[in-house]
Amino acid sequence: MFTNKRNTRTIRLLLMGGVVSTPLFYIAAIIQSFTRTGFDIRRHAISTLTLGDMGWIQSANFFLTGLLAVCAAIGVRRLLRGRIGGTWGSLLIGIYGIGMIMAGMFRPDPGLSFPSGAPAEMPTSMSGHAALHSVAFFTAFICLIAASIVFARRFAVQGERGWSIYCIASCILAPVLIMIGSSIASWIGVIMGCAGIVAFGWVSVLSARLRAEALQV
């Protein structure tokens, strides 16, 4: 009994990483968006906050979010081992976490006058580190879309229709917002940020749901 209780506490602690990951990421990003000179959320993606003298803050934000997501993935694996979502669901969330860490390690190219001294236009070519940033970020998004499909199936099998619909809605809305943000020049930061809220927020909501489920095991 003691071992089971200790295991449950560990799982809930790991899943708490997923619960807090999205709120912490966006609190830090919003504070920076209002305090970083020259940054305009209507023109600049949140990722560009990694640039400049204070860019290390957003890089650390990506890194911390990724680590918390990896913790959540381990918690999902331990809770759902041998059940739907235990293998692919946890793996995909874990890759998302690694992708966020990589996105923090490699920065996008400066442009649109941010940071100070950057060209006034978007870069005409992409550097190697910017390409790695983009690959890592979009890999993270794709993995979350796939993970939401995995859990949509899990909840459907369990007869939890509302949760299944929520997962499906998340995997549809997030990429639609990304496509919209990629195709227009204005409000890119807001639209991409909303896509992140949908996708990253799904991890937090799912983690909270599974934390409650852990008490029933």
Side-chain angles (χ1 to χ4, degrees), residues 28-137:
I30 289 170
I31 291 173
Q32 291 178 84
S33 70
F34 284 105
T35 57
R36 294 287 302 277
T37 302
F39 182 83
D40 186 345
I41 191 64
R42 296 168 297 180
R43 304 176 65 222
H44 304 123
I46 290 175
S47 293
T48 59
L49 287 168
T50 60
L51 303 172
D53 293 339
M54 301 299 292
W56 65 269
I57 297 175
Q58 183 59 24
S59 293
N61 195 21
F62 273 114
F63 197 85
L64 177 60
T65 301
L67 284 178
L68 291 172
V70 170
C71 289
I74 296 172
V76 172
R77 173 65 177 172
R78 294 182 65 167
L79 176 65
L80 302 181
R81 187 185 301 271
R83 293 184 284 164
I84 298 175
T87 300
W88 282 105
S90 60
L91 178 62
L92 290 165
I93 293 173
I95 296 174
Y96 150 69
I98 294 172
M100 292 294 281
I101 292 171
M102 297 296 289
M105 292 176 63
F106 300 99
R107 301 179 179 186
D109 292 318
L112 298 176
S113 302
F114 185 82
S116 178
E121 304 296 330
M122 287 288 291
T124 56
S125 60
M126 185 177 290
S127 65
H129 57 82
L132 288 171
H133 174 87
S134 295
V135 169
F137 194 69

Side-chain angles (χ1 to χ4, degrees), residues 148 152 162-176 198-199 202:
S148 63
W163 279 97
S164 181
I165 291 174
Y166 168 61
C167 292
I168 293 172
S170 296
C171 80
I172 293 173
L173 183 56
V176 167
V198 172
W202 176 82

